[in-house]
């Protein structure tokens, strides 16, 4: 494929509706523009780190820096796959998959955002299904964890739809004030019960060791 020194750029997860891949610098410009168009109602905050409150041009610059840092700090025992989501070749959001000591624990965490213009079309569920297929079918994960604030009905609904179960609660600061976070867990058996046969992972073998999954 095209990136012998950083084979993560060749990794693709494809479903009938979208493609998930690590964004190149050219892709990042489009993703920033999607984020500029809005991700959530400004009156609410779905993220523990309120990065969408940052004013321009810091918003654009710090968003790029965050993606660059995920690449620069990647290690096989501590990684974050910042998967850009593309629909018909156009970026619509990001689906994260991260893990620490994956070779030993075989557990991952998921997080995501989707531009408001693309919400309400089932893409949140589709991109989560895609990254879970990478985790369980591709990397051999045994558990996936996620979470959302208790009033984030859309995110919680997406998690339920792909098989996550409640796994307790805890408090997180949201714009400086404590708010309840619902923890979620998906084990391999629950994923297998919903496993899809129309999701394809391409280019994983050349970078499997970078995930600690050799």
């Amino acid at each position: 494929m095209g990136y012998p020194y950083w084979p993560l750029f060749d990794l693709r997860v494809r479903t009938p509706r979208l493609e998930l891949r690590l964004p190149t610098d050219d892709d990042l410009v489009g993703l920033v523009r999607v984020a500029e168009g809005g991700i959530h109602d400004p009156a609410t905050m779905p993220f523990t780190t309120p990065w969408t409150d940052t004013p321009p041009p810091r918003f654009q610059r710090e968003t790029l820096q965050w993606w660059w840092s995920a690449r620069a700090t990647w290690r096989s025992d501590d990684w974050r796959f910042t998967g850009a989501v593309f629909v018909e070749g156009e970026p619509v959001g990001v689906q994260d998959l991260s893990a620490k000591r994956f070779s030993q624990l075989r557990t991952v965490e998921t997080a995501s955002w989707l531009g408001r213009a693309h919400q309400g079309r089932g893409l949140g569920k589709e991109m989560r299904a895609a990254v879970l297929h990478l985790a369980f079918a591709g990397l051999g994960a045994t558990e996936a964890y996620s979470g959302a604030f208790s009033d984030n009905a859309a995110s919680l609904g997406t998690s339920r739809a792909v098989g996550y179960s409640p796994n307790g609660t805890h408090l997180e600061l949201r714009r400086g004030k404590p708010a309840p976070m619902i923890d979620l867990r998906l084990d391999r058996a629950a994923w297998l019960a919903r496993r899809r046969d129309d999701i394809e992972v391409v280019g994983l073998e050349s970078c499997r060791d970078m995930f600690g999954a050799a």
Side-chain angles (χ1 to χ4, degrees), residues 53 69 71 83 104 124 128 133 156 176 178 204:
D53 285 347
S69 72
R71 289 187 211 160
Q104 298 166 294
R128 187 86 66 92
H133 194 88
L156 293 170
L204 178 58

Side-chain angles (χ1 to χ4, degrees), residues 19-77:
E19 179 177 90
L20 188 66
R21 58 181 169 83
L22 197 69
T24 65
D25 280 357
D26 288 340
D27 295 326
L28 294 182
V29 175
L31 284 172
V32 170
R33 288 174 177 160
V34 173
E36 285 175 332
I39 298 171
H40 58 86
D41 183 340
T44 68
M45 176 49 66
F47 307 121
T48 53
T49 300
W51 61 280
T52 49
D53 285 347
T54 307
R58 279 181 49 216
F59 171 80
Q60 291 83 355
R61 294 169 181 169
E62 291 179 9
T63 300
L64 289 172
Q65 286 179 299
W66 190 89
W67 277 311
W68 289 331
S69 72
R71 289 187 211 160
T73 59
W74 187 294
R75 302 196 312 270
S76 61
D77 64 348

Side-chain angles (χ1 to χ4, degrees), residues 30-209:
L31 284 172
V32 170
R33 288 174 177 160
V34 173
E36 285 175 332
I39 298 171
H40 58 86
D41 183 340
T44 68
M45 176 49 66
F47 307 121
T48 53
T49 300
W51 61 280
T52 49
D53 285 347
T54 307
R58 279 181 49 216
F59 171 80
Q60 291 83 355
R61 294 169 181 169
E62 291 179 9
T63 300
L64 289 172
Q65 286 179 299
W66 190 89
W67 277 311
W68 289 331
S69 72
R71 289 187 211 160
T73 59
W74 187 294
R75 302 196 312 270
S76 61
D77 64 348
D78 187 357
W79 49 262
R80 179 181 294 274
F81 178 79
T82 55
V85 182
F86 294 85
V87 175
E88 296 181 351
E90 296 298 321
V92 300
V94 169
Q95 175 67 67
D96 273 9
L97 184 73
S98 61
K100 295 183 179 181
R101 299 183 297 279
F102 182 79
S103 64
Q104 298 166 294
L105 298 175
R106 296 286 164 169
T107 62
V108 296
E109 294 187 17
T110 60
S112 63
W113 62 262
L114 187 63
R116 292 187 78 180
H118 308 286
Q119 294 173 14
R121 299 162 49 193
L123 292 175
K125 178 181 175 182
E126 188 79 356
M127 58 202 244
R128 187 86 66 92
V131 84
L132 290 172
H133 194 88
L134 171 62
F136 286 104
L139 300 175
T142 59
E143 294 179 325
Y145 293 90
S146 191
F149 285 114
S150 60
D151 57 0
N152 191 343
S155 179
L156 293 170
T158 294
S159 296
R160 286 193 300 270
V162 296
Y164 286 81
S165 299
N167 193 44
T169 63
H170 71 281
L171 291 177
E172 289 277 359
L173 288 178
R174 178 166 57 176
R175 287 176 171 164
K177 297 180 180 180
M181 175 77 71
I182 296 178
D183 303 316
L184 302 160
R185 174 179 174 269
L186 175 69
D187 64 23
R188 188 172 187 84
W191 173 77
L192 283 170
R194 295 168 171 79
R195 178 174 181 162
R196 290 171 46 177
D197 60 6
D198 60 350
I199 300 177
E200 176 187 28
V201 179
V202 178
L204 178 58
E205 291 310 312
S206 62
C207 57
R208 183 181 292 278
D209 64 310

